[in-house]
Amino acid sequence: MKTIAAYDFNGKKALIRVDFNVPLDEEYKITDTTRIDAAVPTIEKILGDGGAAILMSHLGRPKTGPEEKYSLKHLLGYLSEKLEREVAFAEDCVGEETEKKAAGLKPGDVLLLENLRFHDGEKKGDRDFAAGLSRLGDVYVNDAFGTAHRAHASTAVVAEFFPGDKVFGYLMAGEIEKIGRVLEKPERPFTAVLGGAKVSGKIEVIRNLLGKVDNLLIGGGMMFTFIRAMGGRTGKSLVEEDLIDVAGETMRMAEERGVQLMVPTDAVIADDFKNDAQRKTVEADDIPGGWMGLDIGPQTVRRYEKVLEDSGTILWNGPMGVFEFGNFEEGTVSIARTIAKATGGGAFSLIGGGDSVAAVNKYGLGDRISHISTGGGAMLEYIEGKQLPGVKAIED
Ligand code: AMP
């Protein structure tokens, strides 16, 4: 693997793709610094070698052009404090002014570029835009695993301009190594737990995982589309009508391949989508009209626990219910605890995706999980066996 560990940055200007897509409050204060903190070892290695660091990232989803609330300048204060030096800022990520700033950098200097997505060339993977970025540095470092599944200008295309000088940062290298372990020879049985709101975003993942896992446990809003495919009654639960047939077909595929695909047998239902709604536990395929399922039930939890406790490898993405509502978090908490316990018993556990990671941290279980990925979509695509553009661009 081409990682920064073996690269000497002395006298070089490193153009680093980081993932600084952090949450900001109304006063533009960072509410969770995890992503910035995670990039620090990479930046420090470069500075320690006697190099300069040029940091580039996206932040939020700007529509067209610059937007104050998505400016990376809001990160300057924290970043300077964290790196214990004044970090300079370039008000545009490309262009003459920025090139001048980059050219003037001395060893130990750090320059933060403005939001890459203020240019639509970033998401389009535009070659000219990537060329503009490439003029800023002598070596390209990718340390943004969360966007590695996107073929954007700064995550993939720019690497072409550094044929002999492109490497993975520590964060990326760690992700590739840990996830690679699950990809190549997972300890069996291999169990995937998939939840979250919708089937639509995950049906392809589910199908691709059928070729890899022994057990697939379904939870979250997506369970109801499966329950309908089995002919159940789901009241006003979240159901994607147009995917009922696809869900049914997926269940048949699982059976053919000998994969145990489990769907909840009971659910905690509510008469409204709010925390203090009336609630009761019923059979998951017999939800009365006017009620909606917001969590998996205790019987399902017990069935899933049995499978998880016997697993050698566990992959988890997506909450089991609307865990943001304290009254409907039990399923998600229980599954998180069970995964932590199974990990203590020797299983290798891998969790990715904003909500599942938030859940694990909320319940204080983060340090009892083998690997918490900084990527949700990227992690799943990697495990599915797809080539990630951000990884491929460095390896080629
Ligand atoms: P996703 O982004 O697809 O992983 O979905 C995460 C969201 O799914 C969370 O915000 C949960 O509140 C939501 N969710 C989980 N279970 C349900 C459910 N039964 N009904 C509606 N939303 C759900």
Side-chain angles (χ1 to χ4, degrees), residues 195-198 202 219-224 237-238 273 292-295 317-324 355-356:
K198 291 181 170 177
K202 282 183 192 142
M222 68 160 92
M223 68 192 245
F224 301 105
S237 305
L238 192 65
F273 190 79
M292 64 184 95
L294 295 187
D295 197 7
N317 175 273
M320 296 291 97
V322 184
F323 77 109
E324 296 93 332
D355 287 309
S356 345

